[in-house]
Amino acid sequence: MTAPLQWDVFCQVIDNYGDIGVCWRLASQLAARGERVRLWVDDASALAWMAPAGHPGVELRPWGGELPAAHEAAPGVLVEAFGCEIPEAFLAWAVGRAPDRQPAWINLEYLSAEAYVERNHRLPSLVMSGPARGWTRWFFYPGFTPATGGLLREPGLLNQRPAGFADTWRAAQPAAATAPERWMSLFCYEPPALPALLAQALQPGAVVPTRLLVTPGRATAAVQAALSTLPVQHGALQLQYLQPTDQQGFDDLLHACDFNAVRGEDSLVRALWAGRALVWHIYPQDDGAHHAKLAAFLDWLQAPASLRDFHAAWNGIPGHGPLVVPDGETLAEWTACTQAARARLAQQSSLVDQLVGFVLEKR
């Protein structure tokens, strides 16, 4: 057993759900292990519904706010998430508190399945300027293979929900005139193929009656915008607009659905742990760099051709055919693909386990 360390985790919010979502899961999982965590964030507003109860081991601090008092612990670990830069005032304070012993300094990178992740994982970078000149920071890459930093996963996560959980969860939702055969969650930006999905689901002769559970924010706005362009039909689609929920509630949603449309980083990882068929709306970049990132993920996933085609249409990648809503047999194939990927991931150490081990190695 080792004494707990003081972790200072820094997060600047770009995507208000993804960045703070990952950092909060990281901070709370560290705290659950007995570590002490200060989470410095420039916009913590989403935590009001994402983590309303907080965590007794996590102190929330405003980005650029007052420095820790003299009686507070000096940092044992610095974590800058997603390329944010720790404020120089904090670094100067940290150097002053422990001039002869550098804390372990982690640059926690974005998640990707691309080959460069394994090459760059755990590489050092000497700090050449500023108050921490001469210190070293280390690149730490989450990832999907044993040669990367792994993924966030709470202990016991895969056995957390009992058999029959999905049926119980669905029974608690608002009743509908007819019982849907398929439940699909939607957490997205503005997928180019969303109107096509809705149009097919709205057709009176739709293959599978579907309950579409739409998360608040951009997903709700995208659905409403798409519906305004479609003719009114009385098909097999049941729409349910959801209220904001905490992280546990979001994870429950993913476990309860047959098919999950997710976006960004945090929800992709949680959809993988849920073990259901999924489609990933990757964050679009103007230069098209997200196409290669998506292709690398699908290669790792060992996605069948039909799932690759669906992703291409969903993400608006040129050169592919129209979106086709999967039938039952296809959806079962996609589910099996996700479950096989989850089994591979379960054999690897979690991101928090690897981070803690790396820090102890460097101290």
Side-chain angles (χ1 to χ4, degrees):
M1 297 293 290
T2 58
L5 296 173
Q6 176 65 60
W7 294 64
D8 283 282
V9 180
F10 292 83
C11 174
Q12 284 187 307
V13 174
I14 299 173
D15 178 334
N16 205 30
Y17 301 146
D19 299 337
I20 190 61
V22 170
C23 289
W24 181 258
R25 289 191 197 269
L26 171 65
S28 57
Q29 288 177 35
L30 285 167
R33 295 176 58 109
E35 306 291 337
R36 301 187 302 268
V37 184
R38 291 184 290 238
L39 176 58
W40 302 82
V41 60
D42 63 345
D43 182 1
S45 58
L47 292 179
W49 52 266
M50 190 179 289
H55 193 289
V58 180
E59 297 179 55
L60 199 61
R61 301 289 184 98
W63 184 281
E66 291 187 9
L67 297 172
H71 68 276
E72 295 186 79
V77 188
L78 301 173
V79 179
E80 48 189 9
F82 308 119
C84 72
E85 295 187 359
I86 298 173
E88 287 201 352
F90 186 93
L91 289 175
W93 172 81
V95 170
R97 287 295 303 271
D100 299 324
R101 184 169 187 182
Q102 176 195 331
W105 187 347
I106 305 294
N107 188 324
L108 185 63
E109 287 287 349
Y110 287 98
L111 175 65
S112 178
E114 293 168 283
Y116 73 83
V117 169
E118 291 187 350
R119 294 196 303 270
N120 295 343
H121 179 51
R122 296 169 61 111
L123 288 183
S125 175
L126 182 65
V127 178
M128 301 299 292
S129 62
R133 181 180 179 182
W135 281 10
T136 298
R137 58 181 155 194
W138 301 85
F139 291 98
F140 209 89
Y141 282 83
F144 304 97
T145 67
T148 69
L151 302 178
L152 287 170
R153 181 177 85 241
E154 308 91 292
L157 172 64
L158 300 186
N159 299 313
Q160 192 178 82
R161 292 168 180 81
F165 170 81
D167 291 337
T168 302
W169 189 93
R170 293 176 184 184
Q173 303 308 304
T178 58
E181 297 177 28
R182 175 183 299 165
W183 291 63
M184 177 180 176
S185 72
L186 183 66
F187 179 51
C188 61
Y189 303 109
E190 294 79 28
L194 179 60
L197 182 143
L198 294 173
Q200 292 180 52
L202 284 166
Q203 292 174 2
V207 176
V208 181
T210 299
R211 170 78 70 94
L212 182 64
L213 299 112
V214 186
T215 56
R218 290 176 69 170
T220 289
V223 167
Q224 292 174 344
L227 289 174
S228 69
T229 68
L230 298 173
V232 177
Q233 301 184 61
H234 300 285
L237 178 66
Q238 302 169 14
L239 282 171
Q240 181 179 339
Y241 294 104
L242 303 176
Q243 296 298 312
T245 184
D246 61 14
Q247 288 185 322
Q248 181 71 33
F250 180 74
D251 293 350
D252 287 346
L253 168 70
L254 299 178
H255 280 263
C257 288
D258 303 302
F259 184 27
N260 293 307
V262 291
R263 80 182 206 203
E265 179 172 324
D266 181 60
S267 62
L268 171 64
V269 172
R270 306 313 290 192
L272 285 167
W273 293 132
R276 306 287 185 149
L278 64 89
V279 60
W280 184 26
H281 191 194
I282 191 168
Y283 188 81
Q285 296 173 272
D286 292 339
D287 61 0
H290 59 295
H291 295 175
K293 185 174 182 177
L294 178 60
F297 169 72
L298 293 173
D299 287 344
W300 168 82
L301 188 64
Q302 300 174 21
S306 58
L307 185 52
R308 292 173 185 269
D309 290 342
F310 193 97
H311 271 88
W314 192 245
N315 286 276
I317 297 176
H320 292 270
L323 180 138
V324 178
V325 174
D327 58 19
E329 182 178 351
T330 300
L331 196 65
E333 181 184 27
W334 295 0
T335 300
C337 174
T338 305
Q339 291 179 349
R342 181 178 64 175
R344 298 195 300 272
L345 291 170
Q347 301 303 311
Q348 302 170 21
S349 297
S350 74
L351 176 62
V352 167
D353 284 342
Q354 293 200 50
L355 270 173
V356 170
F358 181 79
V359 165
L360 293 178
E361 172 190 323
K362 297 303 177 186
R363 286 181 61 81

